[in-house]
Amino acid sequence: MKIDTPILVATSNPHKLAEIAAVMAPLGIEVVGLDEAGVNLPEPVEDGETFEANARLKAVYYAARTGRLCLADDSGLEVEALGGRPGVQSARYAGIGATRGERDAANNVKLLIELRDIPPDRRAARFVCAMCLADATGRVLAETRGEFPGIIIDRPRGTNGFGYDPLLLLPDVGLTSAELSPSEKNRRSHRGFAARAMAGWFLRNSAASGGA
Ligand code: ITT
């Protein structure tokens, strides 16, 4: 099939966009975010019960309204001791903060409060990322998923990344996700896996029609 690039990524989160672009660019797949593309639609209500449902909802919504091929990422943190919370509520867990940075900081504080009586050996958690690609008519073409397991520590460490990155420790390297370089995070992360699987879909499907 003919793939129109740059591919619209249905996100207003610049960190997600940068991480997805870093996977796609070396493969010759260009992406553009909602802001850069000048898409100024009201955000859809993310009321799905799963990451997959919300990724689908965002991809279909923006694809159908812009008439463009559209890739969406819905992601978040699942903490075992909290029964999988904050899960699909990860972005709005604390429910306060005017800016993305303030919301991330408030979410991290809330998570540490909720886990304060949980010992280190019961702090398993994982980031999950669901990606969905929809065509210009809003039809779902491909869906992928990635997971990034670790342990929640009791104080933030590191300045790279965003969101809950400073709280997810990777025991094998003794670093938090926010202490990884961007390329190392992408190599291991939920988003890196989901984006590479999606890149595979692009390459298979554009090759079949003789090029993107
Ligand atoms: P869009 O819906 O516009 O894409 P968003 O940030 O609101 O942006 P989500 O609804 O998917 O995206 O919420 C994802 C939240 O999960 C995000 O705000 C972070 O708090 C957290 N999260 C997801 N991926 C993460 C990562 O790689 N590192 C740290 N936190 C992450």
Side-chain angles (χ1 to χ4, degrees):
M1 73 181 268
K2 165 112 176 58
I3 295 191
D4 289 320
T5 58
I7 293 160
L8 182 65
V9 182
T11 187
S12 49
N13 181 328
H15 305 282
K16 281 187 183 181
L17 182 67
E19 291 181 6
I20 294 167
V23 171
M24 302 291 180
L27 301 169
I29 305 165
E30 266 184 84
V31 296
V32 66
L34 292 172
D35 295 341
E36 280 176 276
V39 176
N40 199 8
L41 292 163
E43 286 189 11
V45 180
E46 294 182 34
D47 57 2
E49 285 179 11
T50 61
F51 296 111
E52 280 77 7
N54 281 333
R56 217 172 294 139
L57 184 149
K58 288 189 269 192
V60 168
Y61 173 92
Y62 285 103
R65 282 165 185 74
T66 60
R68 290 178 68 155
L69 187 69
C70 185
L71 175 67
D73 163 323
D74 199 68
S75 44
L77 180 72
E78 292 183 338
V79 180
E80 218 173 277
L82 299 178
R85 278 186 299 116
V88 291
Q89 302 296 333
S90 291
R92 45 193 180 278
Y93 184 37
I96 54 167
T99 64
R100 185 175 297 283
E102 286 169 10
R103 287 192 291 277
D104 284 353
N107 288 340
N108 284 357
V109 168
K110 174 162 178 179
L111 182 61
L112 291 179
I113 291 171
E114 290 223 79
L115 289 178
R116 72 184 163 236
D117 296 327
I118 308 286
D121 62 335
R122 289 193 42 233
R123 283 171 166 243
R126 61 182 183 182
F127 284 129
V128 177
C129 174
M131 284 190 181
C132 178
L133 181 73
D135 74 9
T137 68
R139 186 171 58 105
V140 171
L141 295 176
E143 295 181 286
T144 63
R145 178 184 169 100
E147 296 181 1
F148 186 18
I151 287 169
I152 303 299
I153 50 173
D154 56 13
R155 99 182 72 89
R157 271 171 43 188
T159 53
N160 293 335
F162 68 103
Y164 301 93
D165 279 331
L167 292 179
L168 190 83
L169 180 76
L170 314 168
D172 63 321
V173 284
L175 298 172
T176 68
S177 179
E179 292 174 320
L180 297 179
S181 67
S183 63
E184 187 61 13
K185 178 182 171 188
N186 252 347
R187 198 178 69 74
R188 303 182 56 138
S189 81
H190 52 319
R191 184 163 299 104
F193 281 104
R196 282 188 292 277
M198 201 49 91
W201 186 95
F202 285 127
L203 297 177
R204 283 193 303 279
N205 285 277
S206 55
S209 65

